[in-house]
Amino acid sequence: RYWWNRFGPMFASEIRRKRVHQMRAYSKWKWHLDEMFVKINGERHYLWRAVDHEGEVLESYVTKRRNKRAALKFLRKTLKRHGRVDKIVTDRLASYRAALREAGCVSKQETGRWLNNRAENSHLPFRRRERAMQRFRRMRSLQKFASVHSSVFNHFNQERTLSRRDIFKTNRSAALEEWRGLLAA
């Protein structure tokens, strides 16, 4: 159950830091924000997630409520860690609009019927792993799991459909070697 202790969140954050540094050089950085329901001991909690335009999870944050205060805290945390963004795609939850207005980013918000599919589809690998782990018992374990799972998944997720088999295998091997190098250090 405590697999994140084995992989080490320190290494995952180092990988994330490198990726974010590369992404900041990209001028049209678009984020997709979404929240998902997660049950902890039969009680509903919310996992807020920020996904970039390539489908990599940037940030995860667990709260008990789905309101302006929680959205604002999540937004500020994400902006502080990942810097400037061109566009923020959200669903039509009023908490996002209120939080973006307070943060001064309301002009960057986009909403639309299918615009946020990138964030919705990024929930699927998390849900598969959650089901395999037989849910969560505490908010803290959910927060740790969500942050480490996204880093590990981002590192090893190769868009299989976008490249030939030989290139895919080379990229996957390089990712595994980088991961082993980080664990050995």
Side-chain angles (χ1 to χ4, degrees), residues 30-32 34 49 51-56 89 114-123 159:
K30 184 190 285 191
W31 293 351
H32 300 261
D34 196 34
R49 301 175 81 220
V51 180
D52 70 358
H53 61 278
E54 291 182 343
E56 292 192 6
V89 180
W114 292 288
L115 288 179
N116 214 21
N117 281 355
R118 173 73 71 187
E120 298 291 346
N121 288 331
S122 77
H123 297 323
E159 296 279 336

Side-chain angles (χ1 to χ4, degrees), residues 70-86:
L72 185 61
K73 191 168 182 181
F74 169 66
L75 186 65
R76 283 186 175 151
K77 182 179 177 185
T78 308
L79 285 169
K80 183 178 180 184
R81 178 174 262 182
H82 300 286
R84 191 177 63 79
V85 62
D86 260 7

Side-chain angles (χ1 to χ4, degrees), residues 7-21:
F7 291 114
M10 182 178 68
F11 300 120
S13 65
E14 185 178 327
I15 292 170
R16 178 188 294 178
R17 200 174 316 113
K18 285 181 185 176
R19 287 179 184 268
V20 168
H21 182 70

Side-chain angles (χ1 to χ4, degrees), residues 44-80:
R44 182 182 280 182
H45 289 73
Y46 304 95
L47 177 64
W48 302 78
R49 301 175 81 220
V51 180
D52 70 358
H53 61 278
E54 291 182 343
E56 292 192 6
V57 180
L58 301 172
E59 196 68 45
S60 301
Y61 182 64
V62 181
T63 62
K64 285 188 177 183
R65 293 195 168 81
R66 187 173 75 152
N67 56 14
K68 174 189 161 187
R69 184 175 169 206
L72 185 61
K73 191 168 182 181
F74 169 66
L75 186 65
R76 283 186 175 151
K77 182 179 177 185
T78 308
L79 285 169
K80 183 178 180 184

Side-chain angles (χ1 to χ4, degrees), residues 120-135:
E120 298 291 346
N121 288 331
S122 77
H123 297 323
L124 299 176
F126 178 84
R127 289 288 189 201
R128 277 195 300 268
R129 186 68 189 145
E130 176 194 23
R131 199 172 312 117
M133 289 179 59
Q134 299 174 352
R135 309 290 181 236

